[in-house]
Amino acid sequence: MPVFITLEGTEGVGKSTALTYIQGYLAQHQVPFVTTREPGGTPLAEKIRTLLLTKDAEPMSSTAELLLMFAARAQHLAQVIQPALASGQWVLCDRFTDATYAYQGGGRGLRQADIGLLETLVQGELRPTLTLWLDAPVELGLSRAAARQQLDRFEQEKAVFFDKVRAVYQQRAEAEPKRYRRIDASLSIEEVQDQIHAVLARFLSVRTL
Amino acid sequence: MPVFITLEGTEGVGKSTALTYIQGYLAQHQVPFVTTREPGGTPLAEKIRTLLLTKDAEPMSSTAELLLMFAARAQHLAQVIQPALASGQWVLCDRFTDATYAYQGGGRGLRQADIGLLETLVQGELRPTLTLWLDAPVELGLSRAAARQQLDRFEQEKAVFFDKVRAVYQQRAEAEPKRYRRIDASLSIEEVQDQIHAVLARFLSVRTL
């Protein structure tokens, strides 16, 4: 059965480091997998990503932002995710639709019901099998992200925006405890990796029973 | 009351010439108006247009195409159409959501109900006041369009695609006779302009009664 793992979290929680760790873990356990990201993952979807992340003189309508996210997702699903899952590979994706609920729903205040309509339109029944949510206090993440050279259009948002984003991740984690695993990302890299290791080890052992 | 006029039709039916004629007519009658087009009409929406019209090695998913159309539309509405209508200007738009029903619904075979959901999500209650549909046999339009230098991703479609596009325009014109005016675009430029003149003259006289 195909496995679709997604990694979620706000800015500066250490997603890249966690992604590399998960890739190493899956490779070590001979799991065939592809790593990808959203928005993006195909040449066209990456062009849409550039539109989404570039801060421009023209303010972007929140609804346009939402639809661009799902346009990129539809292309990504058709070109990468669905073919990989159909061929038996696992898919490891840096952000997916939970991020849309959190950023466009929570952060921008768009209606969760509208996001749900688009989710069904674009994904049908497909949902992630397992979601690792890297969670840390917003201020901690932002102070880490601020150390980077250039902030994109989302990273330039203020703490109040990310508070709302985090609150939606929290709600979704509580609503779907079987799929969501909260990782405390305020700890050291080693402690974060220990938590991820525990989740993956348990996930793999249950699947191979 | 704000007036929103849209111009619709398949390739090669003479939309550009008709648009210029309508602009002249409105100017002559001291109607304040803005002219715009879809997909496009703002810098961001024009970038989305480029993605939509450019034929690339990567095939575009029909759902991604549909969502890009509505993303561009959301931006166009927020930045151009709604502000113009709110300020009392008329809006003259080269293609709008009828084209999405015709091209993505008819041509690509996407569900009309899904397009309806997106229409409501993006436009709320806003619909065109008057739609001029330039209609001509598909083969005639394609032979005219073929004389152009470069064909975009849609213009490269075959006659069977445009037959389906035209059929949806026909259905929609029949379903909404008060809004839609069919213009026989197979006639000479002068005869086409006579028809447009008659429609606009009647529209203006009714509105100023």
Side-chain angles (χ1 to χ4, degrees):
Chain A
M1 207 166 71
V3 174
F4 181 21
I5 300 175
T6 59
L7 192 63
E8 296 283 355
T10 47
E11 323 314 297
V13 292
K15 277 197 298 108
S16 301
T17 309
L19 200 72
T20 305
Y21 180 78
I22 299 168
Q23 289 177 301
Y25 186 95
L26 295 178
Q28 196 185 329
H29 290 78
Q30 278 86 46
V31 172
F33 69 98
V34 297
T35 307
T36 186
R37 70 168 182 182
E38 290 217 343
T42 87
L44 171 59
E46 291 286 332
K47 286 180 193 163
I48 299 173
R49 178 190 182 91
T50 301
L51 296 182
L52 280 162
L53 299 193
T54 305
K55 182 117 184 173
D56 226 331
E58 179 184 359
M60 188 182 295
S61 117
S62 297
T63 304
E65 179 180 298
L66 174 67
L67 292 165
L68 286 174
M69 285 289 177
F70 273 107
R73 181 162 300 138
Q75 188 68 15
H76 190 206
L77 281 162
Q79 292 289 310
V80 175
I81 297 177
Q82 285 164 335
L85 293 174
S87 76
Q89 293 185 90
W90 291 26
V91 172
L92 172 60
C93 190
D94 181 354
R95 290 214 175 101
F96 195 64
T97 306
D98 290 295
T100 309
Y101 280 100
Y103 283 76
Q104 281 70 50
R108 302 280 185 232
L110 295 175
R111 294 176 1 153
Q112 304 278 336
D114 289 335
I115 301 174
L117 285 177
L118 291 166
E119 182 179 33
T120 302
L121 175 67
V122 168
Q123 297 167 223
E125 299 291 310
L126 180 68
R127 299 290 181 276
T129 323
L130 175 69
T131 298
L132 295 164
W133 171 40
L134 297 180
D135 183 42
V138 164
E139 294 297 348
L140 177 64
L142 288 184
S143 66
R144 287 182 189 159
R148 295 179 195 161
Q149 289 196 306
Q150 279 204 316
L151 299 182
D152 68 34
R153 200 169 64 85
F154 289 99
E155 289 166 345
Q156 290 175 38
E157 292 288 343
K158 302 219 178 344
V160 61
F161 176 89
F162 293 107
D163 284 336
K164 291 185 275 185
V165 171
R166 189 186 180 200
V168 172
Y169 276 130
Q170 178 72 44
Q171 288 162 17
R172 294 180 66 76
E174 285 166 9
E176 292 188 68
K178 283 190 69 172
R179 170 166 75 88
Y180 256 91
R181 294 289 176 276
R182 179 182 177 274
I183 306 291
D184 185 344
S186 68
L187 304 176
S188 70
I189 288 183
E190 195 168 58
E191 288 167 305
V192 169
Q193 292 181 346
D194 285 348
Q195 296 174 76
I196 294 173
H197 185 282
V199 168
L200 293 178
R202 181 165 165 71
F203 184 75
L204 239 78
S205 74
V206 169
R207 295 196 69 83
T208 51
L209 276 184
Chain B
M1 207 165 71
V3 174
F4 181 22
I5 299 176
T6 60
L7 192 61
E8 296 283 355
T10 47
E11 323 313 297
V13 293
K15 276 196 298 106
S16 301
T17 309
L19 200 72
T20 305
Y21 180 78
I22 298 168
Q23 289 177 302
Y25 186 94
L26 295 179
Q28 197 185 330
H29 289 78
Q30 278 85 47
V31 172
F33 70 98
V34 296
T35 307
T36 187
R37 70 169 182 181
E38 289 216 345
T42 87
L44 171 59
E46 291 286 331
K47 287 180 192 162
I48 300 173
R49 178 189 181 92
T50 301
L51 296 182
L52 281 163
L53 299 193
T54 306
K55 183 119 184 172
D56 226 331
E58 179 184 358
M60 188 182 295
S61 119
S62 296
T63 304
E65 178 180 298
L66 174 68
L67 292 165
L68 285 174
M69 285 289 178
F70 273 106
R73 182 162 299 138
Q75 188 67 16
H76 190 206
L77 281 162
Q79 292 289 311
V80 175
I81 296 177
Q82 285 164 336
L85 293 174
S87 76
Q89 294 185 90
W90 292 27
V91 172
L92 172 60
C93 190
D94 182 354
R95 289 212 175 102
F96 195 63
T97 306
D98 289 296
T100 310
Y101 280 100
Y103 282 76
Q104 282 70 49
R108 302 280 184 231
L110 294 175
R111 294 178 359 156
Q112 304 277 335
D114 289 336
I115 301 174
L117 285 177
L118 291 166
E119 182 179 33
T120 301
L121 175 66
V122 168
Q123 297 167 223
E125 299 291 311
L126 181 68
R127 299 291 181 276
T129 323
L130 175 69
T131 297
L132 294 164
W133 170 40
L134 297 180
D135 183 42
V138 164
E139 293 298 347
L140 177 64
L142 288 184
S143 67
R144 287 181 189 160
R148 295 178 196 162
Q149 289 196 307
Q150 279 204 316
L151 298 181
D152 69 34
R153 200 170 64 84
F154 289 100
E155 289 167 343
Q156 290 175 38
E157 292 289 342
K158 301 218 178 344
V160 61
F161 176 88
F162 293 107
D163 284 336
K164 291 186 276 185
V165 171
R166 188 187 182 200
V168 172
Y169 276 130
Q170 178 72 44
Q171 287 161 18
R172 294 181 67 77
E174 285 166 9
E176 292 188 69
K178 281 190 71 173
R179 170 166 74 90
Y180 257 92
R181 294 289 176 277
R182 179 181 177 276
I183 305 291
D184 185 344
S186 67
L187 304 176
S188 70
I189 288 183
E190 194 168 56
E191 287 167 306
V192 169
Q193 292 181 347
D194 285 348
Q195 295 174 76
I196 294 173
H197 185 281
V199 169
L200 293 178
R202 182 165 163 70
F203 184 76
L204 240 77
S205 74
V206 169
R207 295 196 68 82
T208 50
L209 276 183

